Amino acid sequence: MCSAIAATAPVIDADDDEIAQSIAVIFFFNVLAAIFFPILGKALGFDTMHGDAFGIFAGTAINDTSSVTAAASTWDSMFNLGSATLNKAVTVKLTRTLAIIPITLGLSFIRAKKERQASNFSLKRAFPMFILYFILAAIFTTICVNVGVDSNVFAPLKELSKFLIIVAMAAIGLNSNVIQLIKTGGKPIAVGAVCWCGITIVSLIMQYIMHIW
């Protein structure tokens, strides 16, 4: 979600305060999600033998890749699932992230048409580069495993990735002022809460209809 904010902000000429506030709101709810979603998943009766159901839930209902990773890793740790939930959740989340490209392109086109001037849109700036790295890593791992490389070779990298996610979450926390956010961001927090609840409910409904949950 922060990638989406960073990509669309130049297109709509958002100022620095708006960008900072929107990112703070996103991270506020995502930190809550990383903490409470595993508890919610257990209460809702998600399958604890496999990580698919909770992985899809985390990947669709949490709006930041780092928080998706944190929630999925917690679920894996709770039920000794290795990285099954994490793999599913990250794949779902990064698939969602691809929507940044057409959305940003659309906003750029609308803005340019409205103002009847060339847009400052840049595909390179809008494209979420970590998606490209994810795809390259997935292709590399797939090729290595299929030519006979033991999958355990990649185990240290998986542990390193979890550690780096923890570092990222700590850094976000150290740069967040919750009191200041509450004082200055009442309406954005309310909008964020409504969106968060709405996305969560839709995710659960779709999983129920598709017999995933």
Side-chain angles (χ1 to χ4, degrees):
M1 183 61 73
C2 292
S3 300
I5 294 171
T8 57
V11 178
I12 61 175
D13 291 333
D15 61 44
D16 291 342
D17 289 339
E18 291 173 333
I19 296 171
Q21 190 173 60
S22 60
I23 290 176
V25 169
I26 289 295
F27 275 122
F28 174 72
F29 285 105
N30 285 336
V31 168
L32 293 180
I35 296 171
F36 292 111
F37 267 40
I39 300 172
L40 177 61
K42 183 69 166 57
L44 292 174
F46 278 111
D47 183 11
T48 59
M49 301 298 294
H50 304 89
D52 287 356
F54 186 81
I56 293 173
F57 177 53
T60 54
I62 303 178
N63 293 317
D64 179 70
T65 306
S66 61
S67 297
V68 169
T69 304
S73 296
T74 300
W75 188 264
D76 281 332
S77 298
M78 288 170 62
F79 303 106
N80 298 315
L81 297 176
S83 59
T85 310
L86 178 62
N87 293 341
K88 178 67 70 173
V90 170
T91 300
V92 171
K93 177 61 181 72
L94 294 183
T95 301
R96 286 177 57 202
T97 304
L98 290 173
I100 293 175
I101 299 171
I103 290 173
T104 309
L105 282 169
L107 287 173
S108 179
F109 175 77
I110 293 170
R111 184 67 179 270
K113 186 176 181 180
K114 183 178 179 180
E115 297 184 357
R116 295 182 180 179
Q117 61 184 20
S119 174
N120 62 349
F121 173 73
S122 168
L123 181 60
K124 182 179 179 181
R125 180 176 54 193
F127 188 83
M129 292 304 295
F130 61 90
I131 287 285
L132 177 61
Y133 301 144
F134 170 79
I135 294 172
L136 291 175
I139 292 172
F140 176 75
T141 305
T142 301
I143 293 173
C144 289
V145 171
N146 279 277
V147 297
V149 177
D150 189 346
S151 60
N152 290 326
V153 171
F154 300 102
L157 291 176
K158 291 183 178 181
E159 293 303 317
L160 176 62
S161 68
K162 293 177 182 179
F163 171 74
L164 292 176
I165 286 296
I166 293 172
V167 172
M169 295 297 288
I172 292 165
L174 290 172
N175 284 280
S176 300
N177 187 330
V178 177
I179 295 176
Q180 185 67 24
L181 176 64
I182 294 173
K183 286 181 178 179
T184 62
K187 290 181 179 179
I189 289 176
V191 172
V194 171
C195 292
W196 187 39
C197 292
I199 292 170
T200 301
I201 292 170
V202 170
S203 175
L204 291 173
I205 290 174
M206 291 304 298
Q207 287 202 67
Y208 182 78
I209 291 173
M210 298 174 69
H211 304 290
I212 298 173
W213 165 44

